[in-house]
Amino acid sequence: MEDSSLKRFGVSMEAHLLRKFDRLVMQKGYVNRSEAVRDLVRDALVQQSWDKEDQTVAGSIVLFYNHHQRNLLDELTKIQHDMHDNILATTHFHLDHSSCLELIIVKGKAKEIRLLSNKLTILKGVEYGKFTVAPVEHV
Ligand code: NI
């Protein structure tokens, strides 16, 4: 059984860093600093832990790309078909004449999902790729 009782601890940081942190707390709509710190810690733990273990994760891969790039659409399709077991959904948005945004919802073993994300984001023509997953089990 996890101990979920609240414990207090002191944190020291430079005044300018604290000012920036307080701005972040406000912008993100946290009730207070504690809530923001808890969120940051959870996030850091997820990032630190999920890729080391053979656990099931779920999340999204967001890709921005130029669809005029030669072979890119074929490559994107081929990779996703090769790993269809790990892909729950793919949604494509045409942003303007040449830019596309693709949202891929993924689920599977952390290692496999990481591989899938790497294969997609390194493709020539993919200008930006953002990969966000969390373990399916409670952290
Ligand atoms: Ni498009």
Side-chain angles (χ1 to χ4, degrees):
M1 192 72 182
E2 278 180 63
D3 183 2
S4 52
S5 65
L6 289 176
K7 307 278 186 213
R8 296 180 67 89
F9 69 101
V11 177
S12 312
M13 68 173 76
E14 294 87 344
H16 68 94
L17 192 59
L18 185 58
R19 271 199 303 278
K20 284 183 180 173
F21 181 59
D22 281 340
R23 251 202 321 272
L24 180 84
V25 170
M26 242 178 54
Q27 284 166 352
K28 291 211 163 192
Y30 289 114
V31 179
N32 51 42
R33 287 175 182 160
S34 291
E35 195 186 299
V37 169
R38 283 196 291 273
D39 225 28
L40 288 170
V41 169
R42 278 191 211 103
D43 198 47
L45 287 173
V46 165
Q47 296 309 324
Q48 188 263 338
S49 72
W50 74 263
D51 59 347
K52 285 183 187 148
E53 294 161 44
D54 208 25
Q55 62 186 319
T56 302
V57 298
S60 67
I61 301 169
V62 176
L63 303 171
F64 284 87
Y65 59 85
N66 184 331
H67 74 92
H68 291 133
Q69 178 69 44
R70 245 170 80 92
N71 297 329
L72 179 57
L73 292 177
D74 283 350
E75 288 289 324
L76 285 169
T77 305
K78 184 182 176 304
I79 291 167
Q80 293 189 57
H81 275 276
D82 282 349
M83 299 191 70
H84 62 90
D85 281 342
N86 295 120
I87 297 175
L88 301 179
T90 301
T91 307
H92 184 108
F93 304 89
H94 309 299
L95 296 178
D96 59 31
H97 184 66
S98 54
S99 308
C100 303
L101 187 164
E102 199 154 306
L103 171 66
I104 304 163
I105 308 297
V106 292
K107 183 183 170 195
K109 288 243 160 61
K111 285 184 292 195
E112 291 163 9
I113 300 298
R114 162 82 76 191
L115 180 70
L116 171 63
S117 172
N118 287 345
K119 277 184 176 174
L120 292 169
T121 50
I122 63 167
L123 288 175
K124 197 166 178 214
V126 174
E127 286 142 22
Y128 178 79
K130 176 82 176 163
F131 177 44
T132 310
V133 293
V136 172
E137 306 93 73
H138 195 67
V139 187

